[in-house]
Amino acid sequence: MLVYVPHTTAGVTVNEHADPAVARDLEAALRRIVDDGWPWEHVEPGEENAPTHVRAALIGPSVVIPMRDDGALGLGTWQGIFLCEFDGPRERSVYVSVLQ
């Protein structure tokens, strides 16, 4: 199964979903790796979102998850699929395709 977001400031990843602290830690790490205060060249007045583009590029716009024989997703026990919103809240689209 392919999960894809057609946005330049959002991404999709797979990570642990049992503890909400994991998502908060990922967000904090990405903010430290890509600092808001850098001298960004992509600056649109009122929408200074250059760091969100870079964070989304690091996460990526898609994941591919294998399907098990019983039709369920082949995720590990603790895994979940995360939509990572870096410039919102905004209305987003998520496309899901079953690959054969």
Side-chain angles (χ1 to χ4, degrees), residues 34-48:
V34 182
D35 189 83
D36 289 337
W38 288 349
W40 299 100
E41 291 187 30
H42 170 72
V43 178
E44 297 173 16
E47 197 169 312
E48 294 78 18

Side-chain angles (χ1 to χ4, degrees), residues 1 66-74 98:
M1 182 181 77
M67 303 292 286
R68 298 188 324 207
D69 290 338
D70 64 1
L73 292 177
V98 176

Side-chain angles (χ1 to χ4, degrees), residues 13 15 21-31 59 84:
T13 193
N15 212 310
V22 173
R24 291 192 301 270
D25 288 343
L26 179 60
E27 182 179 9
L30 287 168
R31 286 185 181 279
I59 292 296
C84 301

Side-chain angles (χ1 to χ4, degrees), residues 27-38 40 49-58 86:
E27 182 179 9
L30 287 168
R31 286 185 181 279
R32 291 189 76 180
I33 293 167
V34 182
D35 189 83
D36 289 337
W38 288 349
W40 299 100
N49 65 354
T52 65
H53 288 281
V54 177
R55 291 178 190 129
L58 291 173
F86 298 113

